Amino acid sequence: MEEITDPSKLTYDARGLIPCVVQQHDTGEVLMVAWMNEESVGLTLKTGTTWFWSRSRQELWNKGATSGNMQEVKELWADCDSDTLLVKVDSPGPACHTGNRTCFFKRVEGGAR
């Protein structure tokens, strides 16, 4: 197992962003996908809670700071190319801004199964 201790060693896109999949650590449930930049990765590592970059608002946001549904970081992983992150969290409340537990609650129908 390799370890990355410096957020600058990750591979960010041309906008300075990296996608991050957020997963409940004990159940494997995928809660959300968000974007991080180097600063939000550093804040996540420093604070032990998830920080993301809002593309629409063009600002950092600490997940749950407003709603109270903080995500406690258990593990942070990079994929083989270091260009996608997986953060395993304890998320006791809803992860979605709609109030749903997960952002993935819309089934797409059709096609082969």
Side-chain angles (χ1 to χ4, degrees):
M1 174 179 61
E2 292 179 48
E3 287 191 16
I4 298 172
T5 57
D6 181 352
S8 70
K9 303 298 183 195
L10 296 169
T11 304
Y12 301 90
D13 69 12
R15 298 167 298 170
L17 302 175
I18 187 169
C20 180
V21 177
V22 180
Q23 182 181 46
Q24 178 64 31
H25 76 101
D26 54 353
T27 66
E29 180 181 28
V30 176
L31 301 174
M32 58 185 283
V33 175
W35 293 92
M36 290 182 152
N37 62 11
E38 189 175 327
E39 185 178 5
S40 66
V41 173
L43 285 167
T44 296
L45 292 171
K46 180 180 176 181
T47 66
T49 62
T50 52
W51 285 80
F52 303 107
W53 176 256
S54 170
R55 294 174 300 164
S56 60
R57 296 188 312 269
Q58 293 289 296
E59 65 183 14
L60 290 167
W61 58 284
N62 184 209
K63 176 66 178 142
T66 303
S67 68
N69 296 316
M70 301 293 287
Q71 295 175 338
E72 178 188 354
V73 176
K74 298 295 187 179
E75 300 175 21
L76 183 59
W77 294 85
D79 75 341
C80 56
D81 296 322
S82 298
D83 64 359
T84 302
L85 297 175
L86 170 65
V87 61
K88 296 183 179 186
V89 301
D90 183 17
S91 183
C96 187
H97 72 280
T98 64
N100 285 290
R101 168 79 181 139
T102 173
C103 292
F104 295 94
F105 59 90
K106 297 179 181 180
R107 183 174 174 166
V108 179
E109 294 287 338
R113 293 185 193 225

